[in-house]
């Protein structure tokens, strides 16, 4: 019932919050500086906050936490029920804004795995739409020993699916996907393994910004969408 993309299958995501950037959290990020992240996103500053926001939103919406124990460098695991229950409590508090991701890192002695996340695409909603978004997409390997689950608020159903099956079901009308979601699934589907996906993503660098255009008739009715590279774009 969401105002935007209601009924659609989408990747976990959301907006960058003020708390996602700044000195209070940059020192907790592994292998990526704000200058490096900003260069990739072609922003003057604040780029690292997009990586932090990706980690926070995945934790809030899907229960996946891309973080490591500071002492050992080992990824966080939720296969101990006591640990899983404790982190689910953190998840709810982060979602409600009661606990910052940096505070969670301090409590559990964690570091954010920003170096494991690759920037792969950049989409902007077509001009003419009432609600427009400037959206960056990232890819990362799912951590072992974490069982993802939707939050049952913003997201009410979740699944892991083979990308080829997702594309087939979309074509059959069984899986509702927006063009950016489909395009990112097609990027993943071109590779046979997670290692290959991450390797390909590492080579992307700064992706081309994709700004679809609405195709309208003489009365202003929307007929469809033209993509960069289409003859009528």
């Amino acid at each position: 019932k969401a105002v935007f993309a209601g009924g659609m299958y989408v990747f976990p995501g959301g907006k960058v919050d003020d708390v996602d950037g700044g000195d209070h959290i940059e020192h907790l990020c592994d292998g990526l500086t704000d200058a490096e992240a900003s260069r990739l996103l072609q922003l003057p500053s604040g780029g690292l906050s997009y990586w932090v926001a990706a980690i926070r939103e995945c934790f809030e919406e899907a229960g996946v936490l891309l973080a490591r124990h500071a002492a050992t460098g080992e990824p966080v695991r939720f296969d101990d029920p006591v640990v899983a229950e404790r982190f689910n409590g953190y998840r709810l508090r982060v979602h409600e804004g009661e606990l910052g991701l940096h505070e969670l890192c301090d409590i559990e002695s964690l570091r954010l795995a920003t170096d494991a996340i690759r920037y792969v695409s950049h989409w902007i909603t077509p001009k003419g739409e009432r609600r427009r978004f400037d959206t960056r997409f990232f890819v990362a390997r799912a951590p072992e020993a974490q069982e993802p689950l939707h939050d049952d608020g913003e997201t009410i159903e979740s699944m892991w699916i083979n990308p080829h099956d997702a594309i087939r079901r979309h074509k059959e009308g069984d899986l509702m996907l927006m063009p950016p979601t489909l395009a990112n699934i097609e990027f993943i589907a071109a590779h046979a393994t997670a290692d290959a996906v991450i390797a390909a993503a590492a080579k992307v660098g700064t992706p081309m910004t994709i700004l679809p255009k609405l195709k309208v008739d003489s009365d202003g009715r929307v007929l469809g969408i033209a993509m960069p590279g289409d003859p009528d774009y």
Side-chain angles (χ1 to χ4, degrees):
K1 298 180 181 178
V3 174
F4 179 76
M8 295 280 188
Y9 278 90
V10 298
F11 297 113
K15 70 182 183 71
V16 176
D17 291 338
D18 291 340
V19 72
D20 295 323
D23 294 339
H24 66 280
I25 203 161
E26 287 181 16
H27 71 283
L28 297 169
C29 298
D30 275 343
L32 188 67
T33 66
D34 184 70
E36 292 167 336
S38 300
R39 178 182 57 78
L40 285 170
L41 269 58
Q42 297 185 319
L43 298 174
S45 62
L48 188 59
S49 62
Y50 285 74
W51 272 256
V52 175
I55 293 174
R56 177 180 53 76
E57 291 285 357
C58 279
F59 187 43
E60 291 180 8
E61 293 191 2
V64 172
L65 181 58
L66 298 170
R68 306 181 178 104
H69 294 285
T72 64
E74 292 296 316
V76 174
R77 300 175 63 96
F78 297 157
D79 48 354
D80 181 332
V82 175
V83 174
E85 183 177 0
R86 184 168 79 247
F87 274 82
N88 191 52
Y90 293 143
R91 174 188 178 186
L92 296 175
R93 292 176 63 194
V94 170
H95 191 280
E96 294 300 319
E98 298 174 1
L99 182 72
L101 204 55
H102 62 292
E103 294 171 312
L104 170 56
C105 288
D106 289 341
I107 294 169
E108 292 285 340
S109 297
L110 303 177
R111 295 189 60 80
L112 301 178
T114 43
D115 56 344
I117 302 169
R118 299 286 180 262
Y119 173 38
V120 290
S121 67
H122 180 199
W123 289 69
I124 299 177
T125 311
K127 294 179 180 178
E129 292 281 3
R130 290 179 60 189
R131 293 169 63 89
R132 300 189 67 206
F133 298 87
D134 186 341
T135 308
R136 320 284 180 147
F137 289 86
F138 301 84
V139 65
R141 177 186 293 279
E144 295 183 10
Q146 291 192 26
E147 186 64 33
L149 183 65
H150 52 275
D151 63 10
D152 215 26
E154 292 182 61
T155 51
I156 60 170
E157 185 173 319
S158 58
M159 65 174 158
W160 288 105
I161 186 169
N162 179 288
H164 297 282
D165 291 339
I167 294 168
R168 174 184 54 79
R169 288 179 58 182
H170 173 71
K171 290 179 178 177
E172 294 172 352
D174 182 44
L175 197 67
M176 294 174 62
L177 303 173
M178 292 185 295
T181 310
L182 177 61
N184 280 284
I185 291 175
E186 289 173 337
F187 171 81
I188 296 169
H191 308 282
T193 66
D195 283 342
V197 172
I198 298 300
K203 296 177 182 178
V204 170
T206 299
M208 177 186 73
T209 299
I210 300 175
L211 173 60
K213 293 183 179 179
L214 298 179
K215 296 189 286 188
V216 298
D217 62 16
S218 56
D219 296 323
R221 291 175 297 194
V222 176
L223 302 176
I225 293 177
M227 301 292 291
D230 291 349
D232 56 350
Y233 182 73

